[in-house]
Amino acid sequence: MRFFWKISLFLLACVSAIVLIWFPVRIAAQGLVSIDTDKKYEGMKTSFAKGYMPAIQKNTMKLVIPFIVKMPLKDESLLVGVSFEREENSPFVFQNYQKRVKKSSEGIYLYKSKIKLRKNRMNGQYPLHLTVLAQTSEELIQQEFTIYVEISDGKTVVFGEENTGEETVLSREDSEGEQASELKEEVNHQPRILIAQNSLQKTEVQAGNSTAWAVTAKNCSSSQSIENMKVTLLFEGNEVSFEKTAWYFEQVPPGGSVDLSQKITVAKKAAQGQVSFQLQFDYEDKKGNVYSSSETVRILISQEQKAQLVNLNFPESIYESDTDILSFQVQNTGLAVIYNAKVRLEGKGLFPEKEIFLGNIEAGTSVDGEISVFAGTLDMDADGNASKGDASKYGDTSADVIFSYENEQGEAVEQSLSFHTAIKKPETVELKVEKQAEDTNQWWITVLFFVFLVLILIIIWLYLRMKYYQRMREEAYESTKCL
């Protein structure tokens, strides 16, 4: 009988191993967001379709999930969080693994996270619950995914063997005894506790402000009380400050609630969007059975949008029928994106080529722009038709440059700057061609120059001849004197 028991366990283990090898990950997803099961991405040894399993090194599991979104998203980003079932033998270290994932050049939202594992983890299959938040132009969509990962580098439960130190060993007799005692005991269901109220779930909190946050949790059991409960608030980052992060309640009666309300403060430079926290509940029932569960709560953070139109540049005067350039710069000086930014010009006698559309402008950036402006006359209406009155056509005029954009809720915001210029009457320039003086023939000057040159040469020649004969006479006289 013992031999048959061992053979049965061995066959069961083999079948389980084959199933885990061929089907290591199961995916549950539908709707706007889905997981790409066909392709392999950076950090993945295989695709989901071929049995992707997260890589485990030492006490860290490297999780890579490629998401596909069927509709355009605001900011082209997803908010992805991971939660675990609070089992006693859970291999995961409970932390906040929530991240904002940007759209890649391939059109994929690739979530990467390093999940810490417990040192004394048990082998087996464990579920990971993924929460994805997607903000479209119309609504905020939330989807839940569950994947199962295999832990194979931890401790193993082996039946019918001696204790080896690294393994947890149970004999068949002990197992049968435990099963028999469990059958004798009354079935005891776990009392569940859930979040009943979150006052800031659909209300935005302005960055840099403090506000009251009303949160309550309810014992959903109608017959069992919750004993000796500790509540812990888990959150990574410094965007939000809390007055309390832990509570203790001696007892929560069936259907009763506990108040976790407090005042929270959002940092001035906190990123705009939804922020998630986890509330971890560790408690017992009347018989002392220990339970652990967690709930996710979310708040919305909004940033004040700040943008301005600066550096207007246009000539101080312009002639009628001329076209010149109006240059400007739009600066987003806030920490939130501004949407559908536009610039237009309105002015008497000035006609812009078109309204400039700048689109969305990211926080902390600026965009330069130019508008071609045609100069008419001051008596023209908006359509360029001249009035029949005695209105002056030329002179000083002013114009407004109007800058508009939309906030997160689609509300329009406008601001304007003015400049002054003058429209002048076109000047008629008379071109005068000067007659070129006729060239006179100055041949006699050339003749005089050559005659003067010849006379100079003759004088020099005569001077040299005279000096020569004088030297000859002196030499003849000296020779006769010696004789």
Side-chain angles (χ1 to χ4, degrees), residues 268-338:
K268 288 184 178 180
K269 294 188 177 181
Q272 178 168 297
Q274 194 168 51
V275 180
S276 298
F277 320 108
Q278 278 194 329
L279 286 170
Q280 178 180 329
F281 302 93
D282 299 300
Y283 55 96
E284 303 171 357
D285 60 16
K286 282 186 176 181
K287 296 185 178 181
N289 297 316
V290 178
Y291 303 99
S292 183
S293 65
S294 65
E295 286 290 304
T296 301
V297 290
R298 301 174 177 87
I299 66 171
L300 293 171
I301 297 177
S302 65
Q303 274 285 351
E304 182 182 358
Q305 290 175 309
K306 298 179 181 178
Q308 58 183 352
L309 181 70
V310 296
N311 299 335
L312 285 185
N313 187 19
F314 193 77
E316 294 181 355
S317 62
I318 184 172
Y319 288 102
E320 178 196 354
S321 300
D322 280 357
T323 299
D324 220 315
I325 298 297
L326 168 69
S327 61
F328 57 87
Q329 185 180 68
V330 172
Q331 297 177 348
N332 184 351
T333 56
L335 296 176
V337 179
I338 62 173

Side-chain angles (χ1 to χ4, degrees), residues 78-90:
L78 290 176
L79 194 63
V80 183
V82 180
S83 60
F84 319 103
E85 293 185 1
R86 301 284 176 163
E87 301 175 352
E88 184 178 355
N89 294 328
S90 177

Side-chain angles (χ1 to χ4, degrees), residues 8 20 64 102 149 180 210 213 263 289 360 398 403-404 428 455:
S8 300
L20 291 176
V64 180
K102 290 286 188 179
V149 297
S210 298
W213 185 31
K263 188 177 182 180
N289 297 316
N360 301 341
S398 62
F403 164 50
S404 64
T428 303
L455 290 175

Side-chain angles (χ1 to χ4, degrees), residues 15-45:
V15 172
S16 299
I18 292 172
V19 171
L20 291 176
I21 290 173
W22 290 100
F23 306 101
V25 179
R26 300 195 296 273
I27 304 169
Q30 60 182 358
L32 174 67
V33 183
S34 61
I35 295 179
D36 187 355
T37 60
D38 299 327
K39 295 183 181 179
K40 180 182 74 172
Y41 296 92
E42 182 182 356
M44 303 172 65
K45 291 184 179 180

Side-chain angles (χ1 to χ4, degrees), residues 427-444:
E427 294 181 353
T428 303
V429 180
E430 182 180 353
L431 297 178
K432 295 181 179 180
V433 180
E434 295 183 0
K435 295 183 179 180
Q436 186 176 0
E438 295 181 359
D439 292 335
T440 56
N441 191 356
Q442 302 293 336
W443 59 270
W444 57 274

Side-chain angles (χ1 to χ4, degrees), residues 9 11 24 76 85 87 155 163 183 192 211 233 235 242 254 276 281 286 342 348 387 393 431 434 439 446:
L9 290 176
L11 292 176
E76 293 190 335
E85 293 185 1
E87 301 175 352
K155 294 182 178 181
N163 194 345
L183 291 174
R192 294 287 185 179
T211 187
L233 178 64
F235 172 64
F242 302 92
S276 298
F281 302 93
K286 282 186 176 181
K342 303 174 185 177
K348 192 173 183 181
S387 63
K393 292 184 176 182
L431 297 178
E434 295 183 0
D439 292 335
T446 304

Side-chain angles (χ1 to χ4, degrees), residues 374-386:
F374 173 80
T377 56
L378 298 179
D379 60 346
M380 288 183 177
D381 58 20
D383 296 326
N385 300 318

